Amino acid sequence: MWNRIRALIIKEFHAIWRDKKSRFVLIVPPLIQLLIFGYAASFDVNHLATVIFNEDDGLPARELVARFAGSPTFEVVGHISRESEIAQVIDPRRARLLIHIGPTFSRDIRIHPPAKVQLIVDGRESNTSLVVLGYAGRIVADFNSEWAKAHGEALPSAHLVVRSWFNPNLESRWFFIPGIVALLTLVVTIVVTALSVAREREVGTFEQLLVTPLRPLEILVGKAAPALIIGVAEGTLIVIVGILWFDIPFRGDVSLLYAGLVVYVLAVISVGLMISSICRTQQQAILGAFLFIMPAVILSGFATPIANMPEAIQHLTLVNPMRYFLVIVRGIFLEELSAELVFRQLWPMAAIAGINLAGAAFMFRHRLS
């Protein structure tokens, strides 16, 4: 039996490697997507065009302006001197933020701290505007607190101190890159698996395979093993690039990461084999794969928290293997996730893999009969 399975595995690798397009798809697009996601997909706001409307020449006002000018988040692109110029700056989007410091700012901060500052943002992109207000509000609040402390003024009775445990600098890249391990492994593995049987059925070799001494279970193992090796290798490549190129910290256990990766790839393979056993052409298989990939990514928590989704949709995410692996890969990278917490995410993926592989085996047996 193992000799027959080994022969089928070798045949599968030959079929993939002999096709130049398949070799290209397995190597180049994932690396390109990793670089694009790593640099383009970000919640961070940097070098935001900012205009200053400062009506106060006092030292406190100049210090506050210097804080904004020295921040990597904001880039001062101009100054205005009249209120009528505000619309001329914001409406054509010459600036996303305008900082208005009133003529009594320096006096107010000495007599009635904290002094007030007007922040005017372009609200046409509401999410970005809220992030900008958060950054700017933090700078103003820190300035007021430090000024009061330095000049012996009474500090606020309640002072909020924010500390980020696992991502101190709040870099979006640290959040996205580990998620890309799950995303690109899903895409490559499910496409390779979905095409495996459909390709043979389209060229007419699947019927020849069915009349060989290979049993349905052996065919299933022979089709799954190459995809498992390719998926794990793809995930390994992305992990290495993330650590060495993007400097993402890796704080957890490598063995736990690979335990999660292997079970995750098996779950994805089981879905791909189900798609492959149903489809008759490669075009149908590719369409079926992408019909699964898009909802799987959206419902995984890759970009938006599952807790924010409607309750019915949250129940639907329970059958999505990517949901569980995202918790593992992000937790191991950033939080040093324990073995107990990893196991809580492993067994649902193992159940998904077992159910789908049983269904794929039934479909193969049905085709054989």
Side-chain angles (χ1 to χ4, degrees):
M1 181 185 71
W2 293 113
N3 288 334
R4 293 195 296 268
I5 292 175
R6 185 182 62 179
L8 182 57
I9 292 173
I10 293 172
K11 182 193 79 68
E12 287 295 312
F13 274 117
H14 278 309
I16 295 172
W17 193 252
R18 192 168 54 242
D19 187 356
K20 293 182 180 179
K21 294 181 180 179
S22 296
R23 295 202 304 268
F24 179 83
V25 167
L26 290 176
I27 299 172
V28 179
L31 288 176
I32 294 175
Q33 292 176 63
L34 175 60
L35 294 175
I36 291 175
F37 273 108
Y39 287 108
S42 174
F43 294 133
D44 300 333
V45 177
N46 295 308
H47 305 293
L48 189 85
T50 304
V51 168
I52 306 296
F53 179 22
N54 186 7
E55 298 183 284
D56 188 340
D57 290 333
L59 178 61
R62 294 198 301 271
E63 286 186 4
L64 180 59
V65 171
R67 286 186 177 237
F68 278 95
S71 170
T73 304
F74 304 99
E75 181 178 353
V76 177
V77 296
H79 295 75
I80 62 174
S81 57
R82 294 187 300 274
E83 187 173 346
S84 59
E85 299 179 66
I86 294 177
Q88 301 173 17
V89 170
I90 297 296
D91 289 350
R93 296 191 174 184
R94 286 173 48 202
R96 299 293 299 276
L97 171 68
L98 186 139
I99 303 169
H100 179 205
I101 302 175
T104 62
F105 178 84
S106 296
R107 185 193 68 185
D108 293 343
I109 200 172
R110 290 188 176 95
I111 300 175
H112 301 293
K116 296 180 180 179
V117 176
Q118 184 181 24
L119 303 174
I120 302 174
V121 297
D122 183 354
R124 281 167 284 194
E125 295 182 11
S126 57
N127 291 335
T128 303
S129 299
L130 291 175
V131 174
V132 171
L133 284 176
Y135 282 134
R138 175 66 65 82
I139 290 177
V140 174
D142 290 344
F143 172 79
N144 279 322
S145 296
E146 292 178 16
W147 176 274
K149 184 177 180 180
H151 293 79
E153 302 289 344
L155 294 173
S157 57
H159 183 63
L160 181 64
V161 177
V162 178
R163 183 178 68 175
S164 301
W165 281 5
F166 308 117
N167 189 355
N169 296 322
L170 297 178
E171 295 188 28
S172 296
R173 186 178 297 172
W174 287 21
F175 176 79
F176 273 111
I177 298 297
I180 292 173
V181 177
L183 172 61
L184 295 185
T185 302
L186 169 72
V187 172
V188 172
T189 304
I190 201 167
V191 169
V192 169
T193 312
L195 290 177
S196 62
V197 177
R199 179 177 57 244
E200 295 205 34
R201 188 172 293 154
E202 189 172 303
V203 298
T205 58
F206 185 67
E207 287 74 14
Q208 298 176 11
L209 190 64
L210 293 178
V211 298
T212 63
L214 287 164
R215 291 174 289 183
L217 178 61
E218 296 170 0
I219 296 176
L220 189 69
V221 174
K223 293 290 184 182
L228 176 63
I229 296 171
I230 291 172
V232 172
E234 197 77 40
T236 302
L237 176 63
I238 300 167
V239 168
I240 292 173
V241 174
I243 294 174
L244 299 182
W245 183 268
F246 290 104
D247 293 325
I248 309 299
F250 188 89
R251 301 184 174 125
D253 190 334
V254 175
S255 61
L256 290 177
L257 175 64
Y258 274 92
L261 180 61
V262 169
V263 178
Y264 172 63
V265 172
L266 281 174
V268 174
I269 287 172
S270 69
V271 177
L273 287 175
M274 281 291 294
I275 295 172
S276 187
S277 63
I278 296 171
C279 299
R280 292 187 173 274
T281 64
Q282 294 187 71
Q283 186 177 11
Q284 292 175 354
I286 292 175
L287 181 60
F290 280 96
L291 284 176
F292 172 80
I293 289 171
M294 290 306 297
V297 174
I298 293 172
L299 300 179
S300 66
F302 175 75
T304 56
I306 295 176
N308 291 351
M309 301 177 186
E311 187 174 353
I313 302 298
Q314 292 185 36
H315 293 314
L316 187 60
T317 64
L318 295 175
V319 298
N320 181 8
M322 187 174 173
R323 166 201 169 125
Y324 305 102
F325 185 63
L326 274 178
V327 176
I328 294 175
V329 69
R330 283 173 174 163
I332 290 177
F333 259 90
L334 303 178
E335 303 173 28
E336 198 174 354
L337 208 63
S338 66
E340 179 185 356
L341 295 177
V342 170
F343 179 75
R344 292 181 186 178
Q345 309 300 323
L346 281 180
W347 74 261
M349 291 193 294
I352 293 171
I355 293 172
N356 284 322
L357 287 173
F362 171 79
M363 294 299 297
F364 282 135
R365 192 177 298 108
H366 177 70
R367 296 289 182 187
L368 184 59
S369 61

